[in-house]
Amino acid sequence: RMQNTVWSKQIPLLLTSGTLAIGSSFRRFQDECGLADNPRVMESIAVSPFDYASNCRLFFSRYSVRLSSERYYDEIAAEILRLLYTANGHALVLFTSYADLSAVNERLATECLYRLKSGIPIFVMRRNHPQILRQFKSTPGAVLLATGAAWEGMDFPGDCVSLLIIPRLPFAFPDAIHEHEKRNYPALHDFIRSVIVPEMQIKLKQGFGRAIRTETDTCVVAILDERCSARGRYRQDVLDALPEMPILTEISDIRQFLCAVKPQSYFEAAA
């Protein structure tokens, strides 16, 4: 349909977005849209105006939580809590499913570590998200647990999101479309590298975009998935998808960075 109604028309077309390319490649987008072999296609990548090297840090925990662990939710909730204390709130935690979100939120509540003892207000984004978003943005030092629509299109400028936590890489869940598309590849590995990984990278870029919204924003992005550890199978794929920036492996380094780039009022919020 796109070929008949759009691509075949002899008119100039401009396709633009912050997440069309992965690194310097538009291949996945072109495959999806039927443009892979179109001779009219010209490509251009604009350099971001944001100084990620100075204003952003990427955190990979040295003690990654194993996805297969029976205590996964207990351990990931504990790691998230340590990060929240370190950053004094001001955080967005992006989950890949409502099941993960609910499990972590339940553990935080069970331990009585938020709202009562921590002093850090935590909001959970569900279907009533407009009201929750307003409350989150207007509450100094708050934390938002979210999934779904929060991965793209939502704007959190300033210190509101100074810590972005991604517990699990955003791989797509298997569905009928992927099962059908898999038939076009000779081996499962080819399908994973050509479709599944690029889709994860694009989704990750969209989520990462919640961190830095203006040229003066500063933020730490913490990815807790064990597959991003020093020997993780997808670590390089993650690095290829994101802008270049310094990498941190100790939680104490997060605090040091935030102390260097945030005003004193930042640490007084939610204290």
Side-chain angles (χ1 to χ4, degrees), residues 20-79:
L20 292 186
I22 302 166
S24 59
S25 174
F26 290 87
R27 184 68 193 187
R28 177 57 186 161
F29 173 76
Q30 291 177 352
D31 286 344
E32 284 185 302
C33 296
L35 289 172
D37 300 315
N38 193 313
R40 297 179 58 205
V41 173
M42 295 181 288
E43 302 173 357
S44 177
I45 295 179
V47 178
S48 172
F50 299 147
D51 185 359
Y52 293 106
S54 299
N55 295 341
C56 197
R57 294 293 184 270
L58 184 59
F59 174 79
F60 292 132
S61 177
R62 187 174 291 183
Y63 310 102
S64 299
V65 179
R66 292 185 298 112
L67 295 171
S68 59
S69 171
E70 293 182 359
R71 290 179 48 81
Y72 171 76
Y73 288 121
D74 295 333
E75 294 175 5
I76 204 71
E79 182 72 1

Side-chain angles (χ1 to χ4, degrees), residues 50 92 125 133-134 136-137 144 149-158 160-161 206 209-214 217:
F50 299 147
L92 170 65
M125 194 184 87
L133 287 178
R134 286 193 296 270
F136 168 62
K137 291 181 178 182
L144 179 65
W151 279 87
E152 54 185 299
M154 292 188 177
D155 199 27
F156 303 101
C160 181
V161 174
Q206 291 171 335
R210 303 316 101 210
I212 301 291
R213 305 300 295 173
T214 73
D217 284 354

Side-chain angles (χ1 to χ4, degrees), residues 58-194:
L58 184 59
F59 174 79
F60 292 132
S61 177
R62 187 174 291 183
Y63 310 102
S64 299
V65 179
R66 292 185 298 112
L67 295 171
S68 59
S69 171
E70 293 182 359
R71 290 179 48 81
Y72 171 76
Y73 288 121
D74 295 333
E75 294 175 5
I76 204 71
E79 182 72 1
I80 289 172
L81 187 63
R82 283 192 288 269
L83 289 167
L84 296 181
Y85 275 130
T86 299
N88 201 43
H90 301 86
L92 170 65
V93 187
L94 279 180
F95 295 92
T96 55
S97 71
Y98 282 102
D100 284 1
L101 184 157
S102 296
V104 169
N105 181 52
E106 178 183 343
R107 280 155 178 78
L108 294 177
T110 300
E111 294 295 327
C112 297
L113 290 174
Y114 76 80
R115 300 191 186 190
L116 295 179
K117 293 183 179 180
S118 73
I120 300 175
I122 295 185
F123 297 96
V124 178
M125 194 184 87
R126 300 191 188 277
R127 292 183 179 180
N128 58 337
H129 69 265
Q131 178 183 353
I132 292 297
L133 287 178
R134 286 193 296 270
Q135 292 178 331
F136 168 62
K137 291 181 178 182
S138 63
T139 305
V143 174
L144 179 65
L145 310 182
T147 187
W151 279 87
E152 54 185 299
M154 292 188 177
D155 199 27
F156 303 101
D159 290 336
C160 181
V161 174
S162 296
L163 172 64
L164 172 64
I165 303 175
I166 299 176
R168 202 188 289 250
L169 291 176
F171 283 100
F173 291 95
D175 58 19
I177 294 177
H178 283 118
E179 286 299 315
H180 179 79
E181 193 171 6
K182 188 163 58 176
R183 302 173 187 173
N184 298 328
Y185 295 87
L188 178 61
H189 174 77
D190 298 324
F191 172 68
I192 291 174
R193 299 309 307 179
S194 299

